[in-house]
Amino acid sequence: MTAHSDAPRSRRERPAKPALTRAGIVAAAVEIMRAEGLGKVTMRRLAQELDTGPASLYVYVRNTAELHAAILDELLGTVEAAPDGGDWRERLEKVLTSYTAVLFRHRGLAMAALVARPRGEHYLRLIETLLALLDEGGVPPGQAAWGVDLLLQHATATAAEHSPGGRAEGARQEWDALAEALRDAPERTHPHVAGLAAELLSGDPEARLSWGLRALIDGILRTPLPPESPRS
């Protein structure tokens, strides 16, 4: 009978680890985010998941901010394409609503998207889609270029405001306190607030997102850029 040995296996006997690639690193980061939240996606945690050292990851991703931007770009691939046919405004709104929903589904991603700078293929495809729809509606090129930034800012901020998180109970209490302050505003000193308290609190997030996007789209169509706008 052969004696059992508890000695560690030689490194030569272990199965070879798959080679690191940027695509593989981003895919692993997305899985960590889905399971544990974006806050857990760090270079150290990712290195642990990939059974490597953090230094190895910096060859492919410069820092955590770039990693989060890469995660965002990967998930932008799930944004729904613009529907065929129909009013260009409605199609534009549907794309932006789908974008908002993607951010809303992933806790912490919307907050990161406010400052992230994605530059991958999915982000470029989204920008191309938005610009094409604005062009279809007759929006001048310069206004369309600036307008895309406004539309994405509004959609991202909406997702960040309403996305679920670990402090949901605290957020509910903060909202209730705000509602009480608006309803109790003295008419003598704050007549407009007192008169519009109900309207200030009205509308669900979906309705407010839709109204905001339509207001922005119409404003982008009608508002020319300032003269001699500098090019970066």
Side-chain angles (χ1 to χ4, degrees), residues 128-149:
E128 177 68 21
T129 297
L130 299 179
L131 289 173
L133 288 167
L134 290 168
D135 180 59
E136 182 180 327
V139 178
Q143 290 164 223
W146 283 27
V148 163
D149 188 44

Side-chain angles (χ1 to χ4, degrees), residues 188-230:
R188 182 178 60 81
T189 55
H190 302 81
H192 294 89
V193 174
L196 290 172
E199 286 77 6
L200 287 169
L201 298 166
S202 66
D204 58 32
E206 292 80 7
R208 281 180 170 259
L209 173 65
S210 176
W211 183 86
L213 290 174
R214 285 186 279 113
L216 284 173
I217 292 168
D218 288 343
I220 291 164
L221 178 63
R222 294 178 172 83
T223 308
L225 297 186
E228 300 181 2
S229 300

Side-chain angles (χ1 to χ4, degrees), residues 57-193:
L57 303 181
Y58 288 107
V59 176
Y60 304 91
V61 184
R62 287 183 301 173
N63 50 41
T64 302
E66 183 178 316
L67 180 61
H68 287 182
I71 291 172
L72 173 60
D73 183 76
E74 184 71 15
L75 291 172
L76 289 181
T78 64
V79 173
E80 296 177 10
D84 294 328
D87 181 75
W88 67 274
R89 289 179 178 85
E90 294 179 0
R91 293 158 63 207
L92 180 58
E93 183 180 334
K94 286 183 178 179
V95 173
L96 289 162
T97 300
S98 176
Y99 164 82
T100 307
V102 168
L103 297 185
F104 180 83
R105 286 195 294 268
H106 302 285
R107 186 175 67 193
L109 186 62
M111 293 297 296
L114 289 172
V115 295
R117 296 291 182 268
R119 57 181 183 274
E121 179 56 33
H122 295 136
Y123 176 74
L124 294 177
R125 189 179 307 156
L126 174 62
I127 298 299
E128 177 68 21
T129 297
L130 299 179
L131 289 173
L133 288 167
L134 290 168
D135 180 59
E136 182 180 327
V139 178
Q143 290 164 223
W146 283 27
V148 163
D149 188 44
L150 275 180
L151 292 168
L152 289 177
Q153 280 184 20
H154 177 67
T156 303
T158 299
E161 180 181 6
H162 297 288
S163 60
R167 53 186 299 272
E169 180 60 31
R172 178 73 256 178
Q173 293 175 355
E174 290 173 7
W175 172 259
D176 290 343
L178 170 61
E180 183 180 0
L182 292 173
R183 294 190 185 104
D184 293 345
E187 186 174 1
R188 182 178 60 81
T189 55
H190 302 81
H192 294 89
V193 174

